[in-house]
Amino acid sequence: MFDYQAGEKYKMTLIMVAVAGAMAGVFITLILSPTPAPAGRGGRVRTRAETNPDVTGIAAPPGSDPRYATQQNGAPPPPPAGLVEPFKAQAYVEAFLPLAWDFNASSAANSQQSAISMMTAQCADSYKKNIWTDEMAATIASSGMTSTWNQKMVSARQNQADGSIEIVVQGEQQLQLPGEPPKPRPVKFVYLVKKEADGSLKIAGISEG
């Protein structure tokens, strides 16, 4: 005879497996890191003598002689227009995390939509395809799950060439189904924050730390 309680427990186990499988998709890099610019073509390095006007007898182009270089030539290049200030990026990610890691059955839908609105269009599209799918949303909404996010560390790295910046996050996510013990799991991710043309910040990429 079918044991109802055992059947219910088996059903809840299946739900947890489904949710855990869906959350595993978070570890897939959503936005690939920019491809490094190709290195210049190889070739023999010209010696100083080969380019010295006193040796070649050919006058150097105007402004190329370091003896006559102005102080302006040695000035550092201006910062990129999209430069993201580290402390602002950290604050932005700290506001984003409780929304993105909210998997409570009662509030996940609204929180996830708010989190998605803080992403670039490309990142949001990948997130909805790989993480917050319709199937995952429906599974969580019907599971009665409670979720707790515990933030432990949020740290900014150096700005990248385009001005964007990576924010490293460490924390702990705890999921619990009705009648089941809590299931904590460590979390370490890197969030790429960039500045849009209008000056607003957006999450442009998510990858496993």
Side-chain angles (χ1 to χ4, degrees), residues 2 6-22 135 139-140 142-143 145 177 180 183:
F2 180 77
E8 281 298 299
K9 185 174 181 180
Y10 179 70
K11 176 183 177 183
M12 298 306 289
T13 301
L14 287 180
I15 292 175
M16 177 55 72
V17 170
V19 174
E135 180 182 3
T139 299
I140 291 178
S142 62
S143 68
M145 176 185 292
L177 288 167
E180 297 286 340
K183 298 183 181 296

Side-chain angles (χ1 to χ4, degrees), residues 168-192:
V168 181
V169 171
Q170 291 185 27
E172 184 181 79
Q173 175 74 11
Q174 182 171 285
L175 302 176
Q176 186 171 10
L177 288 167
E180 297 286 340
K183 298 183 181 296
R185 58 189 290 268
V187 170
K188 185 176 181 181
F189 285 92
V190 178
Y191 295 88
L192 179 66

Side-chain angles (χ1 to χ4, degrees), residues 95-148:
F96 171 83
L97 291 172
L99 300 171
W101 288 98
D102 180 4
F103 292 100
N104 287 285
S106 60
S107 58
N110 289 334
S111 293
Q112 292 296 325
Q113 289 305 315
S114 296
I116 289 170
S117 70
M118 299 176 71
M119 304 175 186
T120 62
Q122 184 178 5
C123 183
D125 183 62
S126 294
Y127 188 84
K128 288 185 287 187
K129 288 180 179 178
N130 295 287
I131 309 301
W132 192 247
T133 62
D134 291 342
E135 180 182 3
M136 184 175 184
T139 299
I140 291 178
S142 62
S143 68
M145 176 185 292
T146 57
S147 166
T148 303

Side-chain angles (χ1 to χ4, degrees), residues 55-112:
V55 176
T56 63
I58 302 175
S64 63
D65 193 329
R67 293 175 295 177
Y68 306 103
T70 63
Q71 188 174 6
Q72 183 179 0
N73 291 339
L83 184 67
V84 179
E85 297 174 88
F87 75 95
K88 289 186 177 180
Q90 285 185 222
Y92 192 79
V93 170
E94 286 175 351
F96 171 83
L97 291 172
L99 300 171
W101 288 98
D102 180 4
F103 292 100
N104 287 285
S106 60
S107 58
N110 289 334
S111 293
Q112 292 296 325

